[in-house]
Amino acid sequence: MSSKKSNAPPKKKIVIVGGGIIGCTTAYYLSHHPSFRSDIDEITVLEASTTGVAQGASGKAGGLVAKWAYPRELVDVSFPEHVRLAELHNGAERWGWRYVNCGSWEGRGEDAPSLANVGSAIGDGGDKTSLEKTAGLEDSDVEQRKGKGLPDDLGWVKESLTDFYSPMAGDGDTAQVHPYLFTTSMLELAQSKGVKLLLGAIAASIEFDMENVTGVCYQSLTAPMKFIPATHAILCAGPWTPTILPSVPVKTTRVHSIVIQPQPDVQISPYVLFTKIDPPEGFGDKTASPEVYARPNNEVYVCGPGDKSSLPYFVGGVKVDDAACEAIFQQVASISSELRAGTVVKKQACFLPVVKEGKLGGPIVGPALRMAKGYYIATGHTCWGICNAPGTAKVLAELVYEGKITSAKLADLAPSKYATTL
Ligand SMILES: Cc1cc2nc3c(=O)[nH]c(=O)nc-3n(C[C@H](O)[C@H](O)[C@H](O)COP(=O)(O)OP(=O)(O)OC[C@H]3O[C@@H](n4cnc5c(N)ncnc54)[C@H](O)[C@@H]3O)c2cc1C
């Protein structure tokens, strides 16, 4: 028997709970970290859905990536990482990465003969929750040009219905990805390095002894509880995070969205519009504010406001309300004949993870030191999780492989700021 001590680094068994953009991008960064050893380390993503990853907000979001997003300390890492990932892996082809124009549009919808009671459809969006994407913009970011004039290449919104148009942020400050394709690409690239995915695996608890994480208990909808040993566990279950750790103050709101395929001969120029649409004369005074995203494959994504529907047990139980999707279509159709003539190819809903804790707005990213060594949380990314996924994942990989965050100062996002037990 040899008495020699092995010089090999200790084996890391890392379990990531949640296959949304945060979990999949974290799997990518961990498996691409210079200290990752595919012959020694094991990384497993547990995802509750039986059909695949990105079944929640990460596959159904708009996909905006902006330098003016928030919180700035995470955006400052995330935006350049998006640029780097797109260059490295041909993101333009693979996940629709491109720079995009962005503007704020205000005007009145028209009650075209082809629309069914557009006035009440606009009113439908009136008193619900806004996603608050533009909250991070400084006044100086929004050009105060307030006039009717639309940019020359924004031909798919009616100029005659426009009251104001203001470009938001500068050239090169706003980009976009297709969130489902970005998330699934991150996972595929991680899997090419040996990361494993368990679908239909609903984590129930992260277990630890006096000091360290020991593993994760999970079950499927039909099978009994199983235990997967772990040295590190990363909790990124988005809106479902409190079902595993109730002290994490993540709340949720359900948001509907649709995807419109324009007629084949219609080209939709690259604009993302934050709208305020008043109903046609005589249809009341409630305003709707759908967000409209032209995408590189010429489809158009539109999302409405949030509602108070309660979170189902797992992502497969999210209900889609047809009337909410129809209202979103009527709203954008009332300002664009190009969109009105298009076909709605997707009607969907998902839950936004929101953090509101005193003055703290999230996300919550870092070690849960008061729980156990090796326990990390990355959740509550509100309306900027697509933008902030690379920064979040990069700092988690630093924590796991280097023991501290080196690329950003994220003290304000630390779990301990959000609950005394974390
Ligand atoms: C309508 C809308 C538009 C948006 N637009 C943008 C945008 O333009 N730009 C932007 O940056 N952000 C946007 N966002 C925000 C962004 O989508 C979210 O912040 C982000 O997707 C959150 O990712 P996540 O991985 O934390 O959560 P999720 O995408 O919800 O993923 C969590 C995953 O965990 C799984 N899970 C949950 N519980 C368990 C469990 N117990 N065991 C195993 N797995 C579990 C779920 O099934 C799910 O797959 C938008 C959000 C919405 C709703």
Side-chain angles (χ1 to χ4, degrees), residues 16-23 46-49 52-65 131 133 179 201-204 236-241 243-244 253 255-257 291 293 301 303-304 313-316 350-353 378-388:
I16 297 171
V17 176
I21 195 165
I22 302 302
L46 299 185
E47 167 51 46
S49 166
V53 298
Q55 299 300 306
S58 300
K60 299 183 170 76
L64 209 61
V65 171
L131 302 194
K133 263 215 192 77
I202 306 176
C236 28
W240 287 272
T241 306
T243 63
I244 297 165
T253 176
V255 189
H256 282 87
S257 56
E291 297 176 7
Y293 298 69
Y301 166 97
C303 63
Y313 171 60
F314 90 121
V315 69
C350 62
F351 282 80
L352 181 77
T379 190
H381 283 73
T382 65
C383 62
W384 283 116
I386 307 302
C387 178
N388 284 326

Side-chain angles (χ1 to χ4, degrees), residues 4-332:
K4 259 194 188 168
K5 261 191 153 181
S6 160
N7 284 330
K11 180 180 174 107
K12 288 188 170 45
K13 280 177 79 73
I14 306 165
V15 176
I16 297 171
V17 176
I21 195 165
I22 302 302
C24 293
T25 311
T26 299
Y28 171 91
Y29 274 85
L30 285 167
S31 58
H32 287 69
H33 191 279
S35 300
F36 170 71
R37 291 272 308 268
S38 59
D39 54 334
I40 294 180
D41 298 339
E42 279 174 25
I43 303 173
T44 308
V45 178
L46 299 185
E47 167 51 46
S49 166
T50 49
T51 46
V53 298
Q55 299 300 306
S58 300
K60 299 183 170 76
L64 209 61
V65 171
K67 284 186 187 163
W68 45 270
Y70 53 87
R72 286 286 157 101
E73 60 267 46
L74 199 49
V75 176
D76 288 348
V77 190
S78 296
F79 196 94
E81 281 299 306
H82 265 294
V83 174
R84 189 181 69 82
L85 290 171
E87 279 168 10
L88 193 62
H89 300 295
N90 192 11
E93 283 285 314
R94 199 161 177 171
W95 55 76
W97 164 265
R98 69 171 177 183
Y99 288 92
V100 68
N101 304 296
C102 189
S104 149
W105 185 94
E106 290 179 30
R108 186 171 290 282
E110 65 179 353
D111 195 26
S114 58
L115 292 177
N117 200 358
V118 64
S120 66
I122 291 175
D124 254 5
D127 4 315
K128 298 185 182 157
T129 319
S130 144
L131 302 194
E132 297 184 349
K133 263 215 192 77
T134 53
L137 278 168
E138 310 279 337
D139 280 351
S140 56
D141 290 333
V142 183
E143 202 178 297
Q144 299 301 316
R145 197 178 93 196
K146 300 219 157 181
K148 274 171 174 283
L150 293 177
D152 288 346
D153 61 342
L154 178 47
W156 48 274
V157 175
K158 279 202 171 173
E159 185 124 25
S160 58
L161 300 172
T162 305
D163 288 335
F164 303 120
Y165 177 80
S166 304
M168 285 158 54
D171 280 352
D173 287 348
T174 313
Q176 68 182 153
V177 299
H178 189 300
Y180 177 79
L181 296 178
F182 180 85
T183 305
T184 49
S185 298
M186 285 295 107
L187 182 74
E188 281 160 19
L189 290 162
Q191 285 176 310
S192 72
K193 298 272 187 181
V195 169
K196 294 193 185 71
L197 169 68
L198 283 186
L199 287 176
I202 306 176
S205 62
I206 293 174
E207 300 292 316
F208 46 89
D209 58 19
M210 299 291 279
E211 213 178 326
N212 298 302
V213 162
T214 54
V216 179
C217 289
Y218 69 96
Q219 61 188 135
S220 74
L221 287 176
T222 49
M225 198 71 82
K226 291 185 182 153
F227 178 77
I228 177 169
T231 55
H232 300 72
I234 303 177
L235 179 53
C236 28
W240 287 272
T241 306
T243 63
I244 297 165
L245 196 51
S247 54
V248 182
V250 170
K251 309 264 182 305
T252 68
T253 176
R254 182 180 66 164
V255 189
H256 282 87
S257 56
I258 58 172
V259 176
I260 302 170
Q261 186 68 64
Q263 298 276 321
D265 55 335
V266 173
Q267 274 303 313
I268 301 291
S269 52
Y271 277 85
V272 170
L273 300 179
F274 291 88
T275 68
K276 272 195 182 157
I277 307 174
D278 288 330
E281 297 287 355
F283 282 96
D285 56 4
K286 282 189 176 166
T287 302
S289 304
E291 297 176 7
V292 190
Y293 298 69
R295 282 184 168 160
N297 59 356
N298 208 37
E299 62 181 29
V300 179
Y301 166 97
V302 192
C303 63
D307 65 33
K308 292 196 169 75
S309 175
S310 50
L311 186 72
Y313 171 60
F314 90 121
V315 69
V318 176
K319 296 264 181 309
V320 179
D321 177 356
D322 242 29
C325 294
E326 181 56 26
I328 295 171
F329 178 70
Q330 300 270 332
Q331 290 159 10
V332 288

